[in-house]
Short mmCIF file of all heavy atoms in Angstrom, two decimals:
data_model
loop_
_atom_site.label_atom_id
_atom_site.label_comp_id
_atom_site.label_asym_id
_atom_site.label_seq_id
_atom_site.Cartn_x
_atom_site.Cartn_y
_atom_site.Cartn_z
N ARG A 244 -8.51 39.46 25.49
CA ARG A 244 -7.45 39.71 26.35
C ARG A 244 -6.57 38.43 26.63
O ARG A 244 -6.30 38.04 27.74
CB ARG A 244 -7.94 40.44 27.60
CG ARG A 244 -9.05 39.70 28.42
CD ARG A 244 -9.57 40.53 29.43
NE ARG A 244 -10.40 39.48 30.34
CZ ARG A 244 -9.89 39.05 31.59
NH1 ARG A 244 -8.71 39.53 31.97
NH2 ARG A 244 -10.60 38.23 32.26
N GLU A 245 -6.55 37.65 25.57
CA GLU A 245 -5.72 36.39 25.76
C GLU A 245 -4.38 36.53 26.11
O GLU A 245 -3.65 37.63 25.97
CB GLU A 245 -5.69 35.61 24.42
CG GLU A 245 -7.06 35.27 23.87
CD GLU A 245 -7.86 36.27 23.19
OE1 GLU A 245 -7.49 37.43 23.11
OE2 GLU A 245 -9.10 35.87 22.88
N ILE A 246 -3.74 35.56 26.84
CA ILE A 246 -2.32 35.51 27.26
C ILE A 246 -1.53 34.74 26.23
O ILE A 246 -1.84 33.46 26.09
CB ILE A 246 -2.14 34.97 28.71
CG1 ILE A 246 -2.92 35.79 29.71
CG2 ILE A 246 -0.72 35.02 29.10
CD1 ILE A 246 -3.02 35.15 31.07
N LEU A 247 -0.56 35.38 25.70
CA LEU A 247 0.23 34.63 24.65
C LEU A 247 1.35 33.88 25.37
O LEU A 247 1.79 34.26 26.43
CB LEU A 247 0.83 35.58 23.67
CG LEU A 247 -0.37 36.42 22.75
CD1 LEU A 247 0.40 37.30 21.77
CD2 LEU A 247 -1.16 35.39 21.95
N ARG A 248 1.76 32.88 24.78
CA ARG A 248 2.81 32.03 25.24
C ARG A 248 4.18 32.86 25.08
O ARG A 248 4.37 33.72 24.24
CB ARG A 248 2.95 30.78 24.55
CG ARG A 248 1.80 29.86 24.86
CD ARG A 248 1.79 28.48 24.16
NE ARG A 248 2.95 27.51 24.64
CZ ARG A 248 3.10 26.45 24.26
NH1 ARG A 248 2.14 25.87 23.36
NH2 ARG A 248 3.98 25.58 24.72
N LYS A 249 5.13 32.50 25.96
CA LYS A 249 6.41 33.32 25.84
C LYS A 249 7.26 32.79 24.67
O LYS A 249 7.20 31.62 24.29
CB LYS A 249 7.02 33.11 27.15
CG LYS A 249 6.45 33.70 28.37
CD LYS A 249 7.18 33.53 29.68
CE LYS A 249 6.39 34.12 30.86
NZ LYS A 249 7.19 33.87 32.15
N GLY A 250 7.99 33.66 24.21
CA GLY A 250 8.98 33.14 23.11
C GLY A 250 8.45 33.11 21.78
O GLY A 250 7.34 33.75 21.53
N PRO A 251 9.10 32.42 20.87
CA PRO A 251 8.56 32.38 19.52
C PRO A 251 7.12 31.91 19.24
O PRO A 251 6.58 32.53 18.32
CB PRO A 251 9.54 31.44 18.86
CG PRO A 251 10.81 31.39 19.75
CD PRO A 251 10.34 31.56 21.05
N LEU A 252 6.66 31.01 20.19
CA LEU A 252 5.32 30.57 19.95
C LEU A 252 4.37 31.73 20.24
O LEU A 252 3.33 31.96 19.55
CB LEU A 252 4.93 29.45 20.91
CG LEU A 252 5.67 28.10 20.45
CD1 LEU A 252 5.21 26.96 21.48
CD2 LEU A 252 5.28 27.64 19.06
N GLY A 253 4.66 32.55 21.17
CA GLY A 253 3.84 33.81 21.36
C GLY A 253 3.81 34.84 20.26
O GLY A 253 2.89 35.47 19.90
N TRP A 254 5.04 34.96 19.64
CA TRP A 254 5.14 35.76 18.54
C TRP A 254 4.21 35.30 17.28
O TRP A 254 3.77 36.09 16.51
CB TRP A 254 6.56 35.78 18.05
CG TRP A 254 7.55 36.25 18.95
CD1 TRP A 254 7.34 36.89 20.17
CD2 TRP A 254 8.87 36.02 19.03
NE1 TRP A 254 8.52 37.11 20.96
CE2 TRP A 254 9.47 36.64 20.25
CE3 TRP A 254 9.91 35.43 18.26
CZ2 TRP A 254 10.89 36.53 20.61
CZ3 TRP A 254 11.23 35.29 18.46
CH2 TRP A 254 11.68 35.90 19.58
N LEU A 255 3.97 33.96 17.25
CA LEU A 255 3.22 33.41 16.30
C LEU A 255 1.67 33.46 16.62
O LEU A 255 0.85 32.98 15.86
CB LEU A 255 3.63 31.97 15.93
CG LEU A 255 5.01 31.91 15.37
CD1 LEU A 255 5.44 30.42 15.29
CD2 LEU A 255 5.00 32.57 13.95
N GLY A 256 1.34 33.88 17.79
CA GLY A 256 0.01 34.01 18.31
C GLY A 256 -0.59 32.71 19.10
O GLY A 256 -1.76 32.79 19.30
N PHE A 257 0.26 31.92 19.57
CA PHE A 257 -0.25 30.89 20.35
C PHE A 257 -0.48 31.30 21.73
O PHE A 257 0.28 31.93 22.40
CB PHE A 257 0.98 29.66 20.45
CG PHE A 257 0.98 28.92 19.07
CD1 PHE A 257 1.91 29.37 18.05
CD2 PHE A 257 0.32 27.70 19.02
CE1 PHE A 257 1.85 28.59 16.92
CE2 PHE A 257 0.40 26.83 17.91
CZ PHE A 257 1.16 27.38 16.83
N VAL A 258 -1.72 30.92 22.26
CA VAL A 258 -2.08 31.45 23.65
C VAL A 258 -1.56 30.35 24.68
O VAL A 258 -1.44 29.15 24.35
CB VAL A 258 -3.60 31.60 23.70
CG1 VAL A 258 -4.08 32.54 22.64
CG2 VAL A 258 -4.30 30.27 23.40
N ASP A 259 -1.59 30.97 25.94
CA ASP A 259 -1.04 30.14 27.05
C ASP A 259 -2.33 29.79 27.79
O ASP A 259 -2.78 30.39 28.56
CB ASP A 259 -0.14 30.91 27.84
CG ASP A 259 0.54 30.17 29.08
OD1 ASP A 259 -0.14 29.18 29.46
OD2 ASP A 259 1.54 30.43 29.58
N ARG A 260 -2.96 28.68 27.57
CA ARG A 260 -4.13 28.27 28.05
C ARG A 260 -4.15 28.04 29.56
O ARG A 260 -5.04 28.29 30.29
CB ARG A 260 -4.75 27.07 27.34
CG ARG A 260 -5.14 27.39 25.85
CD ARG A 260 -5.89 26.13 25.26
NE ARG A 260 -6.20 26.40 23.92
CZ ARG A 260 -7.19 27.24 23.51
NH1 ARG A 260 -8.01 27.88 24.44
NH2 ARG A 260 -7.37 27.42 22.29
N LYS A 261 -3.03 27.49 30.02
CA LYS A 261 -2.76 27.20 31.48
C LYS A 261 -2.85 28.54 32.17
O LYS A 261 -3.51 28.64 33.30
CB LYS A 261 -1.46 26.47 31.75
CG LYS A 261 -1.32 26.03 33.20
CD LYS A 261 0.00 25.28 33.36
CE LYS A 261 0.24 24.96 34.80
NZ LYS A 261 1.43 24.15 34.96
N ALA A 262 -2.05 29.51 31.69
CA ALA A 262 -2.12 30.83 32.38
C ALA A 262 -3.52 31.48 32.38
O ALA A 262 -3.89 32.17 33.29
CB ALA A 262 -1.03 31.75 31.66
N MET A 263 -4.25 31.29 31.20
CA MET A 263 -5.54 31.87 31.15
C MET A 263 -6.43 31.27 32.16
O MET A 263 -7.33 31.83 32.84
CB MET A 263 -6.14 31.72 29.70
CG MET A 263 -5.47 32.78 28.81
SD MET A 263 -5.69 32.53 27.08
CE MET A 263 -7.18 31.73 26.85
N ARG A 264 -6.40 29.95 32.29
CA ARG A 264 -7.24 29.20 33.32
C ARG A 264 -6.88 29.69 34.74
O ARG A 264 -7.84 29.94 35.50
CB ARG A 264 -7.01 27.65 33.22
CG ARG A 264 -7.66 27.03 32.05
CD ARG A 264 -7.85 25.53 32.09
NE ARG A 264 -6.56 24.96 32.18
CZ ARG A 264 -5.92 24.46 30.99
NH1 ARG A 264 -6.44 24.50 29.80
NH2 ARG A 264 -4.68 23.99 31.23
N LYS A 265 -5.69 29.83 35.01
CA LYS A 265 -5.32 30.27 36.39
C LYS A 265 -5.89 31.68 36.68
O LYS A 265 -6.26 31.99 37.75
CB LYS A 265 -3.78 30.32 36.44
CG LYS A 265 -3.20 30.68 37.87
CD LYS A 265 -1.60 30.42 37.90
CE LYS A 265 -1.17 30.76 39.38
NZ LYS A 265 0.24 30.62 39.43
N ARG A 266 -5.68 32.61 35.64
CA ARG A 266 -6.11 33.95 35.85
C ARG A 266 -7.73 34.00 35.95
O ARG A 266 -8.23 34.72 36.82
CB ARG A 266 -5.76 34.83 34.63
CG ARG A 266 -6.11 36.27 34.79
CD ARG A 266 -5.78 37.09 33.62
NE ARG A 266 -6.49 36.69 32.43
CZ ARG A 266 -6.34 37.13 31.25
NH1 ARG A 266 -5.44 38.12 30.95
NH2 ARG A 266 -7.03 36.71 30.06
N SER A 267 -8.33 33.18 35.24
CA SER A 267 -9.71 33.13 35.22
C SER A 267 -10.25 32.55 36.48
O SER A 267 -11.28 33.14 37.07
CB SER A 267 -10.33 32.14 34.11
OG SER A 267 -10.10 32.79 32.84
N GLU A 268 -9.63 31.71 37.14
CA GLU A 268 -10.08 31.10 38.41
C GLU A 268 -9.81 32.13 39.46
O GLU A 268 -10.76 32.24 40.38
CB GLU A 268 -9.12 29.83 38.85
CG GLU A 268 -9.50 28.61 38.01
CD GLU A 268 -8.51 27.48 38.04
OE1 GLU A 268 -7.49 27.64 38.77
OE2 GLU A 268 -8.86 26.32 37.78
N ALA A 269 -8.79 32.95 39.38
CA ALA A 269 -8.53 34.05 40.36
C ALA A 269 -9.61 35.04 40.28
O ALA A 269 -10.07 35.63 41.31
CB ALA A 269 -7.16 34.57 40.21
N GLU A 270 -9.87 35.44 39.00
CA GLU A 270 -10.92 36.45 38.84
C GLU A 270 -12.35 35.93 39.30
O GLU A 270 -12.98 36.86 39.99
CB GLU A 270 -11.06 36.83 37.26
CG GLU A 270 -9.71 37.51 36.83
CD GLU A 270 -9.67 37.67 35.33
OE1 GLU A 270 -10.37 36.96 34.66
OE2 GLU A 270 -8.97 38.65 34.88
N LEU A 271 -12.69 34.81 39.11
CA LEU A 271 -14.05 34.37 39.64
C LEU A 271 -13.96 34.22 41.12
O LEU A 271 -15.01 34.53 41.73
CB LEU A 271 -14.31 32.96 38.97
CG LEU A 271 -14.63 32.98 37.48
CD1 LEU A 271 -14.98 31.60 36.97
CD2 LEU A 271 -15.77 33.90 37.10
N ASP A 272 -12.86 33.85 41.75
CA ASP A 272 -12.76 33.84 43.20
C ASP A 272 -12.93 35.17 43.82
O ASP A 272 -13.71 35.31 44.78
CB ASP A 272 -11.38 33.26 43.66
CG ASP A 272 -11.24 31.78 43.44
OD1 ASP A 272 -12.28 31.11 43.22
OD2 ASP A 272 -10.07 31.26 43.51
N ARG A 273 -12.39 36.23 43.10
CA ARG A 273 -12.57 37.55 43.62
C ARG A 273 -14.07 38.00 43.50
O ARG A 273 -14.46 38.70 44.35
CB ARG A 273 -11.62 38.52 42.76
CG ARG A 273 -11.54 39.87 43.27
CD ARG A 273 -10.67 40.81 42.52
NE ARG A 273 -11.28 41.13 41.21
CZ ARG A 273 -10.81 40.81 40.01
NH1 ARG A 273 -9.78 40.16 39.81
NH2 ARG A 273 -11.63 41.26 38.99
N LEU A 274 -14.67 37.40 42.42
CA LEU A 274 -16.09 37.71 42.40
C LEU A 274 -17.08 36.98 43.28
O LEU A 274 -18.18 37.18 43.44
CB LEU A 274 -16.68 37.61 40.90
CG LEU A 274 -16.11 38.75 39.94
CD1 LEU A 274 -16.49 38.35 38.53
CD2 LEU A 274 -16.75 40.10 40.23
N GLY A 275 -16.36 35.98 43.85
CA GLY A 275 -17.19 34.97 44.63
C GLY A 275 -18.07 34.09 43.88
O GLY A 275 -19.09 33.58 44.27
N VAL A 276 -17.64 33.79 42.61
CA VAL A 276 -18.33 32.92 41.60
C VAL A 276 -17.92 31.56 41.71
O VAL A 276 -16.68 31.29 41.62
CB VAL A 276 -18.32 33.50 40.26
CG1 VAL A 276 -18.92 32.62 39.26
CG2 VAL A 276 -18.87 34.93 40.18
N ARG A 277 -18.86 30.61 41.88
CA ARG A 277 -18.62 29.23 41.73
C ARG A 277 -19.29 28.62 40.65
O ARG A 277 -20.58 28.61 40.65
CB ARG A 277 -18.92 28.46 43.18
CG ARG A 277 -18.14 28.85 44.32
CD ARG A 277 -16.69 28.34 44.21
NE ARG A 277 -15.98 28.79 45.33
CZ ARG A 277 -15.17 29.79 45.37
NH1 ARG A 277 -15.20 30.63 44.21
NH2 ARG A 277 -14.35 30.14 46.29
N THR A 278 -18.63 28.07 39.63
CA THR A 278 -19.30 27.49 38.46
C THR A 278 -18.57 26.21 38.02
O THR A 278 -17.95 25.59 39.00
CB THR A 278 -19.29 28.43 37.36
OG1 THR A 278 -20.08 27.92 36.26
CG2 THR A 278 -17.96 28.90 36.90
N ALA A 279 -18.76 25.70 36.94
CA ALA A 279 -18.11 24.60 36.63
C ALA A 279 -16.68 24.73 36.33
O ALA A 279 -16.13 25.82 36.33
CB ALA A 279 -18.80 24.06 35.18
#
Side-chain angles (χ1 to χ4, degrees):
R244 54 192 197 100
E245 292 83 359
I246 300 175
L247 297 180
R248 295 178 68 172
K249 296 179 181 179
L252 290 179
W254 304 340
L255 295 172
F257 285 84
V258 299
D259 189 335
R260 295 190 179 279
K261 183 177 180 181
M263 283 168 30
R264 285 197 295 270
K265 185 176 180 180
R266 181 183 65 182
S267 294
E268 288 171 350
E270 289 170 338
L271 292 185
D272 284 344
R273 191 179 72 244
L274 288 172
V276 173
R277 291 290 179 269
T278 185

